[in-house]
Amino acid sequence: DRHYEAIRLLASVPRLNHEQIARKLRISRMTLYRWRQRPDFAHALNRTIDDEVKRRFRAHNRRVTEYNADEIESILRITGLLT
């Protein structure tokens, strides 16, 4: 389903921009925007991002201080803490 694919693409690193994601899903940017405003979609996206962040930390099995700057920036961008 396109909703799940949109969530996967929004949570992926490196992330495509909204226009690229909409084009890939064959929807308008406005449709993607409306989906992102829905509480259920936003909740699923946040849960997916949290899972991805946890997976990355476990996969590397090292302290945050040992991450390189690009990895830290990617994680912060995914979680919305850096724009």
Side-chain angles (χ1 to χ4, degrees):
D1 166 81
R2 289 189 215 179
H3 291 93
Y4 295 116
E5 181 65 8
I7 289 169
R8 187 188 68 75
L9 291 169
L10 287 164
S12 66
V13 175
R15 193 178 100 188
L16 302 173
N17 65 40
H18 291 173
E19 185 173 338
Q20 292 168 319
I21 291 171
R23 194 174 322 121
K24 187 172 184 100
L25 297 173
R26 296 188 178 114
I27 60 172
S28 70
R29 282 186 309 148
M30 185 52 89
T31 297
L32 182 59
Y33 173 80
R34 282 193 300 264
W35 288 356
R36 293 197 67 197
Q37 301 307 305
R38 290 177 34 191
D40 58 332
F41 187 93
H43 179 72
L45 176 58
N46 288 335
R47 189 176 59 239
T48 302
I49 290 170
D50 287 345
D51 291 347
E52 178 62 16
V53 169
K54 289 174 189 172
R55 186 193 67 75
R56 285 176 171 258
F57 277 117
R58 281 192 308 268
H60 290 289
N61 195 24
R62 54 188 170 162
R63 296 177 165 283
V64 172
T65 56
E66 295 174 0
Y67 277 78
N68 71 41
D70 290 336
E71 291 171 319
I72 293 171
E73 182 179 348
S74 291
I75 290 169
L76 293 175
R77 284 190 192 285
I78 288 172
T79 59
L81 297 175
L82 182 66
T83 56

Coordinates of all heavy atoms in Angstrom, one line a residue:
D1 N 0.8 -1.2 0.0 CA 0.0 0.0 0.0 C 0.9 1.3 0.0 O 2.0 1.3 0.6 CB -0.9 -0.1 1.2 CG -1.6 1.1 1.6 OD1 -2.7 1.4 1.0 OD2 -1.2 1.7 2.6
R2 N 0.4 2.3 -0.7 CA 1.3 3.5 -0.8 C 1.6 4.2 0.5 O 2.6 4.8 0.6 CB 0.6 4.5 -1.8 CG 0.6 4.0 -3.2 CD 0.1 5.1 -4.1 NE -0.7 4.6 -5.2 CZ -1.2 5.3 -6.1 NH1 -1.1 6.6 -6.0 NH2 -1.9 4.8 -7.1
H3 N 0.7 4.1 1.5 CA 0.9 4.7 2.8 C 2.1 4.1 3.4 O 3.0 4.9 3.9 CB -0.3 4.6 3.7 CG -1.5 5.3 3.3 ND1 -2.5 4.8 2.5 CD2 -1.9 6.6 3.5 CE1 -3.4 5.7 2.3 NE2 -3.1 6.8 2.9
Y4 N 2.2 2.8 3.4 CA 3.4 2.1 4.0 C 4.7 2.4 3.3 O 5.7 2.6 3.9 CB 3.1 0.6 4.1 CG 2.0 0.3 5.0 CD1 0.9 -0.3 4.6 CD2 2.0 0.6 6.4 CE1 -0.2 -0.7 5.4 CE2 1.0 0.3 7.3 CZ -0.1 -0.3 6.7 OH -1.2 -0.7 7.6
E5 N 4.6 2.5 2.0 CA 5.8 2.8 1.2 C 6.2 4.3 1.5 O 7.4 4.5 1.6 CB 5.5 2.6 -0.3 CG 6.7 2.9 -1.2 CD 7.8 1.9 -1.0 OE1 7.7 0.9 -0.3 OE2 8.9 2.2 -1.6
A6 N 5.3 5.2 1.6 CA 5.6 6.5 1.9 C 6.3 6.6 3.3 O 7.3 7.3 3.4 CB 4.3 7.4 2.0
I7 N 5.8 5.9 4.3 CA 6.4 5.8 5.6 C 7.9 5.3 5.5 O 8.8 5.8 6.0 CB 5.6 5.0 6.6 CG1 4.3 5.8 6.9 CG2 6.4 4.7 7.8 CD1 3.3 5.0 7.6
R8 N 8.0 4.2 4.7 CA 9.3 3.6 4.5 C 10.3 4.6 3.9 O 11.4 4.8 4.4 CB 9.3 2.4 3.7 CG 10.6 1.6 3.6 CD 10.5 0.4 2.6 NE 10.4 0.9 1.3 CZ 11.4 1.4 0.6 NH1 12.6 1.5 1.1 NH2 11.2 1.8 -0.7
L9 N 9.8 5.3 2.9 CA 10.7 6.3 2.2 C 11.0 7.5 3.1 O 12.1 8.0 3.0 CB 10.0 6.7 0.9 CG 9.9 5.7 -0.2 CD1 9.0 6.1 -1.3 CD2 11.3 5.3 -0.7
L10 N 10.0 7.9 3.8 CA 10.3 9.1 4.7 C 11.2 8.8 5.9 O 11.9 9.6 6.4 CB 8.9 9.6 5.3 CG 8.0 10.3 4.3 CD1 6.6 10.4 4.9 CD2 8.6 11.7 4.0
A11 N 11.3 7.5 6.2 CA 12.1 7.1 7.3 C 13.5 6.6 6.9 O 14.4 6.3 7.7 CB 11.4 6.0 8.2
S12 N 13.7 6.5 5.6 CA 15.0 5.9 5.1 C 16.1 7.0 5.1 O 15.8 8.2 5.1 CB 14.8 5.4 3.7 OG 14.5 6.4 2.8
V13 N 17.3 6.5 5.1 CA 18.5 7.3 5.0 C 19.3 6.8 3.9 O 19.6 5.6 3.8 CB 19.3 7.3 6.3 CG1 20.6 8.1 6.2 CG2 18.4 7.8 7.5
P14 N 19.8 7.6 2.9 CA 19.4 9.0 2.8 C 18.0 9.2 2.4 O 17.5 8.3 1.6 CB 20.4 9.6 1.8 CG 20.7 8.4 1.0 CD 20.7 7.2 1.9
R15 N 17.3 10.2 2.9 CA 15.9 10.4 2.6 C 15.7 11.2 1.3 O 16.4 12.2 1.1 CB 15.2 11.1 3.7 CG 13.7 11.1 3.6 CD 13.1 11.7 4.8 NE 12.7 13.0 4.4 CZ 12.2 14.0 5.1 NH1 12.1 13.8 6.4 NH2 11.9 15.1 4.7
L16 N 14.8 10.8 0.5 CA 14.4 11.6 -0.6 C 13.6 12.8 -0.2 O 13.0 12.8 0.9 CB 13.5 10.7 -1.6 CG 14.1 9.4 -2.1 CD1 13.0 8.6 -2.8 CD2 15.3 9.7 -3.0
N17 N 13.5 13.8 -1.0 CA 12.7 15.0 -0.6 C 11.2 14.6 -0.9 O 10.9 13.6 -1.6 CB 13.1 16.3 -1.3 CG 13.0 16.3 -2.8 OD1 12.0 15.8 -3.3 ND2 13.9 16.8 -3.4
H18 N 10.3 15.4 -0.4 CA 8.9 15.1 -0.6 C 8.4 15.0 -2.0 O 7.6 14.2 -2.4 CB 8.0 16.2 0.2 CG 8.2 16.1 1.6 ND1 7.6 17.0 2.5 CD2 8.8 15.1 2.4 CE1 7.9 16.6 3.7 NE2 8.6 15.5 3.7
E19 N 9.0 15.9 -2.9 CA 8.6 15.8 -4.3 C 9.1 14.5 -4.9 O 8.3 13.9 -5.7 CB 9.3 17.0 -5.1 CG 8.9 17.1 -6.5 CD 9.4 18.3 -7.2 OE1 9.7 19.3 -6.5 OE2 9.5 18.3 -8.4
Q20 N 10.3 14.0 -4.6 CA 10.8 12.8 -5.1 C 9.9 11.6 -4.6 O 9.6 10.7 -5.4 CB 12.2 12.6 -4.7 CG 13.2 13.5 -5.4 CD 14.6 13.5 -4.7 OE1 14.7 13.4 -3.5 NE2 15.6 13.6 -5.5
I21 N 9.6 11.7 -3.3 CA 8.7 10.6 -2.8 C 7.4 10.6 -3.4 O 6.9 9.5 -3.8 CB 8.6 10.8 -1.2 CG1 9.9 10.5 -0.6 CG2 7.5 9.8 -0.7 CD1 10.0 10.8 0.9
A22 N 6.7 11.7 -3.6 CA 5.4 11.8 -4.3 C 5.5 11.2 -5.7 O 4.6 10.5 -6.1 CB 4.9 13.2 -4.3
R23 N 6.6 11.6 -6.4 CA 6.7 11.2 -7.8 C 6.9 9.6 -7.8 O 6.3 9.0 -8.6 CB 7.9 11.8 -8.4 CG 8.0 11.7 -9.9 CD 9.1 12.4 -10.6 NE 9.3 13.8 -10.0 CZ 10.5 14.1 -9.5 NH1 11.5 13.3 -9.5 NH2 10.7 15.4 -9.0
K24 N 7.7 9.1 -6.9 CA 7.9 7.7 -6.9 C 6.6 6.9 -6.6 O 6.4 5.8 -7.1 CB 9.0 7.4 -5.8 CG 9.4 6.0 -5.8 CD 10.6 5.8 -4.8 CE 11.2 4.4 -4.9 NZ 12.3 4.3 -5.7
L25 N 5.8 7.5 -5.7 CA 4.5 6.9 -5.3 C 3.4 7.2 -6.3 O 2.3 6.7 -6.2 CB 4.1 7.3 -3.9 CG 5.1 6.9 -2.8 CD1 4.6 7.5 -1.5 CD2 5.1 5.4 -2.7
R26 N 3.6 8.1 -7.3 CA 2.6 8.5 -8.2 C 1.4 9.2 -7.5 O 0.3 8.9 -7.8 CB 2.2 7.4 -9.1 CG 3.3 6.8 -10.0 CD 2.7 5.8 -11.0 NE 3.8 5.4 -11.8 CZ 4.2 4.1 -11.8 NH1 3.7 3.2 -11.1 NH2 5.2 3.8 -12.6
I27 N 1.8 10.1 -6.6 CA 0.8 10.9 -5.9 C 1.3 12.3 -5.9 O 2.4 12.6 -6.3 CB 0.6 10.4 -4.4 CG1 1.9 10.6 -3.6 CG2 0.1 9.0 -4.3 CD1 1.8 10.4 -2.1
S28 N 0.4 13.3 -5.6 CA 0.8 14.7 -5.5 C 1.5 14.9 -4.2 O 1.4 14.2 -3.2 CB -0.4 15.6 -5.7 OG -1.2 15.5 -4.5
R29 N 2.3 16.0 -4.2 CA 2.9 16.4 -3.0 C 1.9 16.8 -1.9 O 2.1 16.6 -0.7 CB 3.9 17.6 -3.2 CG 5.2 17.2 -3.8 CD 6.1 18.4 -3.9 NE 5.5 19.5 -4.6 CZ 5.7 20.8 -4.3 NH1 6.7 21.1 -3.4 NH2 5.1 21.8 -4.9
M30 N 0.8 17.4 -2.4 CA -0.3 17.7 -1.5 C -0.9 16.5 -0.8 O -1.2 16.5 0.4 CB -1.4 18.5 -2.2 CG -2.5 19.0 -1.3 SD -1.9 19.9 0.1 CE -1.9 21.5 -0.5
T31 N -1.0 15.4 -1.5 CA -1.5 14.1 -0.9 C -0.5 13.7 0.1 O -1.0 13.3 1.2 CB -1.7 13.0 -2.0 OG1 -2.7 13.5 -2.9 CG2 -2.1 11.7 -1.4
L32 N 0.7 13.7 -0.2 CA 1.7 13.3 0.8 C 1.7 14.2 2.1 O 1.7 13.7 3.2 CB 3.2 13.3 0.2 CG 4.3 12.9 1.1 CD1 4.1 11.5 1.6 CD2 5.6 13.1 0.4
Y33 N 1.5 15.5 1.8 CA 1.3 16.4 2.9 C 0.1 16.1 3.8 O 0.2 16.1 5.0 CB 1.2 17.9 2.4 CG 0.9 18.9 3.5 CD1 1.9 19.4 4.3 CD2 -0.4 19.3 3.6 CE1 1.6 20.3 5.3 CE2 -0.7 20.2 4.6 CZ 0.3 20.7 5.4 OH 0.0 21.6 6.4
R34 N -1.0 15.8 3.1 CA -2.2 15.5 3.9 C -2.0 14.2 4.7 O -2.5 14.1 5.8 CB -3.4 15.4 2.9 CG -4.0 16.7 2.5 CD -5.3 16.5 1.8 NE -5.3 15.7 0.6 CZ -5.2 16.2 -0.6 NH1 -5.1 17.5 -0.8 NH2 -5.1 15.4 -1.6
W35 N -1.4 13.2 4.1 CA -1.1 12.0 4.8 C -0.3 12.3 6.1 O -0.5 11.7 7.1 CB -0.3 11.0 3.9 CG -1.1 10.3 2.8 CD1 -2.5 10.5 2.6 CD2 -0.6 9.5 1.8 NE1 -2.8 9.8 1.5 CE2 -1.7 9.1 1.0 CE3 0.6 9.0 1.6 CZ2 -1.6 8.3 -0.1 CZ3 0.8 8.1 0.5 CH2 -0.3 7.8 -0.3
R36 N 0.7 13.1 5.9 CA 1.6 13.4 7.0 C 0.9 14.2 8.2 O 1.3 14.1 9.3 CB 2.8 14.3 6.6 CG 3.7 13.4 5.7 CD 5.1 14.0 5.5 NE 5.7 13.9 6.8 CZ 6.8 14.6 7.1 NH1 7.3 15.5 6.2 NH2 7.4 14.5 8.3
Q37 N -0.2 14.8 7.8 CA -1.0 15.5 8.9 C -2.0 14.6 9.6 O -2.4 14.9 10.7 CB -1.9 16.6 8.2 CG -1.1 17.7 7.5 CD 0.0 18.3 8.3 OE1 -0.2 18.8 9.4 NE2 1.3 18.2 7.8
R38 N -2.2 13.4 9.1 CA -3.1 12.4 9.8 C -2.4 11.9 11.0 O -1.2 11.4 10.9 CB -3.4 11.3 8.8 CG -4.4 11.7 7.7 CD -4.7 10.6 6.8 NE -4.7 9.3 7.4 CZ -4.8 8.1 6.7 NH1 -4.8 8.2 5.4 NH2 -4.9 7.0 7.3
P39 N -3.1 11.8 12.2 CA -2.4 11.3 13.4 C -2.0 9.9 13.3 O -0.9 9.5 13.8 CB -3.5 11.4 14.4 CG -4.4 12.5 13.9 CD -4.4 12.4 12.4
D40 N -2.7 9.0 12.6 CA -2.3 7.6 12.5 C -1.1 7.5 11.6 O -0.2 6.7 11.9 CB -3.5 6.7 11.9 CG -4.0 7.2 10.6 OD1 -3.9 8.4 10.2 OD2 -4.5 6.3 9.8
F41 N -1.0 8.3 10.5 CA 0.2 8.2 9.7 C 1.4 8.8 10.4 O 2.5 8.2 10.4 CB -0.1 9.1 8.4 CG 1.0 9.0 7.4 CD1 1.0 8.0 6.4 CD2 2.1 9.8 7.4 CE1 2.0 7.9 5.4 CE2 3.1 9.7 6.5 CZ 3.0 8.8 5.5
A42 N 1.2 9.9 11.1 CA 2.3 10.5 11.8 C 2.8 9.6 12.9 O 4.0 9.4 13.1 CB 1.9 11.8 12.5
H43 N 1.9 8.9 13.6 CA 2.3 7.9 14.6 C 3.1 6.8 14.0 O 4.1 6.4 14.6 CB 1.1 7.4 15.4 CG 1.4 6.4 16.4 ND1 1.9 6.7 17.6 CD2 1.2 5.1 16.4 CE1 2.1 5.6 18.3 NE2 1.7 4.6 17.6
A44 N 2.6 6.2 12.9 CA 3.3 5.1 12.3 C 4.7 5.6 11.8 O 5.7 4.8 11.9 CB 2.5 4.6 11.1
L45 N 4.8 6.8 11.2 CA 6.1 7.3 10.8 C 7.0 7.5 11.9 O 8.2 7.0 11.9 CB 5.9 8.6 10.0 CG 7.1 9.4 9.6 CD1 8.0 8.5 8.7 CD2 6.8 10.7 8.9
N46 N 6.6 8.1 13.0 CA 7.4 8.2 14.2 C 7.9 6.9 14.8 O 9.1 6.8 15.1 CB 6.7 9.1 15.3 CG 6.6 10.5 14.9 OD1 7.4 11.0 14.1 ND2 5.6 11.2 15.4
R47 N 7.0 5.9 14.8 CA 7.4 4.6 15.3 C 8.4 4.0 14.4 O 9.4 3.4 14.8 CB 6.1 3.7 15.4 CG 6.4 2.4 16.1 CD 5.1 1.6 16.3 NE 4.5 1.3 15.0 CZ 3.3 1.7 14.7 NH1 2.5 2.3 15.5 NH2 2.8 1.3 13.5
T48 N 8.3 4.1 13.1 CA 9.2 3.6 12.1 C 10.6 4.2 12.2 O 11.6 3.6 12.2 CB 8.7 3.7 10.7 OG1 7.4 3.0 10.6 CG2 9.6 3.2 9.6
I49 N 10.6 5.6 12.4 CA 11.8 6.3 12.6 C 12.5 5.9 13.9 O 13.7 5.6 13.9 CB 11.6 7.8 12.6 CG1 11.2 8.3 11.2 CG2 12.8 8.6 13.1 CD1 10.7 9.7 11.1
D50 N 11.7 5.7 15.0 CA 12.3 5.3 16.2 C 12.9 3.9 16.1 O 14.0 3.6 16.6 CB 11.2 5.2 17.3 CG 10.8 6.6 17.8 OD1 11.5 7.6 17.5 OD2 9.8 6.7 18.5
D51 N 12.2 3.0 15.4 CA 12.8 1.7 15.2 C 14.0 1.7 14.4 O 15.0 1.0 14.6 CB 11.7 0.8 14.5 CG 10.5 0.4 15.3 OD1 10.6 0.6 16.6 OD2 9.5 0.0 14.8
E52 N 14.1 2.6 13.4 CA 15.3 2.7 12.5 C 16.5 3.2 13.3 O 17.6 2.7 13.2 CB 15.0 3.6 11.3 CG 16.2 3.8 10.4 CD 16.7 2.5 9.7 OE1 16.1 1.5 9.7 OE2 17.9 2.6 9.2
V53 N 16.2 4.2 14.1 CA 17.3 4.8 15.0 C 17.8 3.7 15.9 O 19.0 3.5 16.0 CB 16.8 6.0 15.8 CG1 17.8 6.4 16.8 CG2 16.5 7.2 14.8
K54 N 16.9 3.0 16.6 CA 17.3 1.9 17.5 C 18.1 0.8 16.7 O 19.1 0.3 17.2 CB 16.1 1.3 18.2 CG 15.5 2.2 19.2 CD 14.2 1.6 19.7 CE 13.5 2.6 20.6 NZ 12.1 2.1 21.0
R55 N 17.7 0.5 15.5 CA 18.3 -0.5 14.7 C 19.8 -0.1 14.4 O 20.7 -0.9 14.5 CB 17.6 -0.8 13.5 CG 18.1 -2.0 12.6 CD 17.5 -2.0 11.2 NE 17.9 -0.9 10.4 CZ 19.1 -0.7 9.8 NH1 20.1 -1.6 10.0 NH2 19.4 0.3 9.1
R56 N 19.9 1.2 14.0 CA 21.2 1.7 13.7 C 22.2 1.7 14.9 O 23.3 1.4 14.7 CB 21.1 3.1 13.1 CG 20.6 3.1 11.7 CD 20.4 4.5 11.1 NE 20.1 4.5 9.7 CZ 21.0 4.7 8.8 NH1 22.2 5.1 9.1 NH2 20.7 4.6 7.5
F57 N 21.6 2.1 16.0 CA 22.5 2.1 17.2 C 22.9 0.7 17.6 O 24.1 0.4 17.9 CB 21.8 2.7 18.4 CG 21.9 4.2 18.4 CD1 20.8 5.0 18.3 CD2 23.1 4.9 18.5 CE1 20.8 6.4 18.4 CE2 23.2 6.2 18.6 CZ 22.1 7.0 18.5
R58 N 22.0 -0.3 17.5 CA 22.3 -1.7 17.8 C 23.3 -2.2 16.8 O 24.2 -3.0 17.1 CB 21.0 -2.5 17.8 CG 20.3 -2.4 19.1 CD 19.2 -3.5 19.2 NE 18.3 -3.6 18.0 CZ 17.2 -3.0 17.8 NH1 16.7 -2.2 18.8 NH2 16.5 -3.1 16.8
A59 N 23.1 -1.9 15.5 CA 23.9 -2.5 14.4 C 25.4 -2.0 14.6 O 26.3 -2.8 14.3 CB 23.4 -2.0 13.1
H60 N 25.5 -0.8 15.0 CA 26.9 -0.3 15.2 C 27.5 -0.8 16.5 O 28.8 -0.9 16.6 CB 26.9 1.2 15.1 CG 26.7 1.7 13.7 ND1 27.6 1.5 12.6 CD2 25.6 2.3 13.1 CE1 27.1 2.0 11.5 NE2 25.8 2.5 11.8
N61 N 26.7 -1.0 17.5 CA 27.1 -1.5 18.8 C 28.3 -0.7 19.3 O 29.3 -1.3 19.7 CB 27.5 -3.0 18.7 CG 27.6 -3.7 20.0 OD1 27.0 -3.2 21.0 ND2 28.4 -4.7 20.1
R62 N 28.2 0.5 19.3 CA 29.2 1.4 19.8 C 28.6 2.7 20.4 O 27.4 2.9 20.2 CB 30.2 1.8 18.8 CG 29.7 2.4 17.5 CD 30.7 2.5 16.5 NE 30.0 2.9 15.2 CZ 30.5 3.4 14.2 NH1 31.8 3.6 14.2 NH2 29.8 3.7 13.2
R63 N 29.3 3.4 21.1 CA 28.8 4.6 21.8 C 28.5 5.7 20.8 O 29.1 5.8 19.7 CB 29.8 5.1 22.8 CG 30.1 4.2 24.0 CD 31.1 4.8 24.8 NE 31.3 4.3 26.1 CZ 30.5 4.5 27.1 NH1 29.4 5.2 27.0 NH2 30.7 3.9 28.3
V64 N 27.6 6.6 21.2 CA 27.3 7.7 20.3 C 28.5 8.6 20.0 O 28.7 9.0 18.9 CB 26.2 8.6 21.0 CG1 26.0 9.9 20.2 CG2 24.9 7.9 21.1
T65 N 29.4 8.7 21.0 CA 30.6 9.5 20.8 C 31.6 8.9 19.7 O 32.4 9.6 19.2 CB 31.4 9.7 22.1 OG1 31.7 8.4 22.6 CG2 30.6 10.5 23.1
E66 N 31.4 7.7 19.4 CA 32.2 7.0 18.4 C 31.6 7.1 16.9 O 32.2 6.7 16.0 CB 32.4 5.6 18.7 CG 33.2 5.4 20.0 CD 33.3 4.0 20.4 OE1 32.8 3.1 19.8 OE2 33.9 3.7 21.5
Y67 N 30.4 7.7 16.8 CA 29.8 7.8 15.5 C 30.5 9.0 14.8 O 30.9 9.9 15.4 CB 28.3 8.2 15.7 CG 27.4 7.0 15.8 CD1 27.3 6.4 17.1 CD2 26.7 6.5 14.8 CE1 26.5 5.3 17.2 CE2 25.9 5.4 14.9 CZ 25.8 4.8 16.2 OH 25.0 3.7 16.3
N68 N 30.5 8.9 13.5 CA 31.1 10.0 12.7 C 30.0 11.1 12.6 O 28.8 10.8 12.8 CB 31.7 9.6 11.4 CG 30.7 9.1 10.4 OD1 29.6 9.8 10.2 ND2 31.0 8.1 9.6
A69 N 30.4 12.2 12.2 CA 29.5 13.4 12.1 C 28.3 13.1 11.1 O 27.2 13.5 11.4 CB 30.2 14.6 11.7
D70 N 28.5 12.5 10.0 CA 27.5 12.2 9.0 C 26.4 11.3 9.6 O 25.2 11.5 9.4 CB 28.0 11.6 7.8 CG 28.8 12.5 6.9 OD1 28.6 13.8 7.1 OD2 29.7 12.1 6.2
E71 N 26.8 10.3 10.4 CA 25.9 9.3 11.0 C 25.0 10.1 12.0 O 23.8 9.9 12.1 CB 26.6 8.2 11.6 CG 27.2 7.2 10.6 CD 28.1 6.2 11.3 OE1 28.8 6.6 12.2 OE2 28.1 5.0 10.9
I72 N 25.6 10.9 12.8 CA 24.9 11.6 13.9 C 23.9 12.6 13.2 O 22.8 12.7 13.6 CB 25.9 12.4 14.8 CG1 26.7 11.4 15.6 CG2 25.1 13.4 15.7 CD1 27.8 12.0 16.4
E73 N 24.4 13.3 12.2 CA 23.5 14.2 11.4 C 22.3 13.5 10.8 O 21.2 13.9 10.9 CB 24.3 15.0 10.4 CG 23.4 16.0 9.6 CD 24.2 16.7 8.6 OE1 25.4 16.6 8.5 OE2 23.5 17.4 7.8
S74 N 22.5 12.3 10.2 CA 21.4 11.5 9.6 C 20.4 11.1 10.7 O 19.2 11.3 10.5 CB 22.0 10.3 9.0 OG 22.7 10.6 7.8
I75 N 20.9 10.7 11.8 CA 20.0 10.3 12.9 C 19.2 11.5 13.4 O 18.0 11.4 13.6 CB 20.8 9.6 14.0 CG1 21.3 8.2 13.6 CG2 19.9 9.4 15.3 CD1 22.3 7.6 14.5
L76 N 19.8 12.6 13.6 CA 19.1 13.8 14.1 C 18.1 14.3 13.0 O 17.0 14.7 13.4 CB 20.1 14.9 14.4 CG 21.0 14.6 15.6 CD1 22.0 15.7 15.8 CD2 20.1 14.4 16.9
R77 N 18.4 14.2 11.8 CA 17.5 14.6 10.7 C 16.2 13.7 10.7 O 15.1 14.1 10.5 CB 18.1 14.6 9.4 CG 19.0 15.8 9.2 CD 19.5 16.0 7.7 NE 20.5 17.0 7.6 CZ 20.3 18.3 7.7 NH1 19.1 18.8 7.9 NH2 21.3 19.1 7.6
I78 N 16.5 12.3 10.8 CA 15.4 11.4 10.8 C 14.4 11.6 11.9 O 13.2 11.6 11.7 CB 16.0 9.9 10.9 CG1 16.6 9.5 9.6 CG2 14.8 8.9 11.2 CD1 17.4 8.2 9.7
T79 N 15.0 11.9 13.1 CA 14.1 12.1 14.3 C 13.5 13.5 14.3 O 12.7 13.8 15.1 CB 14.9 11.9 15.5 OG1 16.0 12.8 15.6 CG2 15.4 10.5 15.6
G80 N 13.8 14.4 13.3 CA 13.3 15.7 13.3 C 13.9 16.7 14.2 O 13.4 17.8 14.4
L81 N 15.0 16.3 14.9 CA 15.7 17.2 15.8 C 16.6 18.2 15.0 O 17.1 19.1 15.6 CB 16.5 16.4 16.8 CG 15.7 15.5 17.7 CD1 16.6 14.6 18.6 CD2 14.7 16.3 18.5
L82 N 16.9 17.9 13.8 CA 17.7 18.8 13.0 C 17.0 18.9 11.6 O 16.6 18.0 11.0 CB 19.1 18.1 12.8 CG 20.1 18.9 12.0 CD1 20.5 20.2 12.7 CD2 21.3 18.1 11.8
T83 N 16.9 20.2 11.2 CA 16.2 20.4 9.9 C 17.1 21.1 8.9 O 18.2 21.5 9.2 CB 15.0 21.3 10.1 OG1 15.4 22.5 10.7 CG2 13.9 20.6 10.9

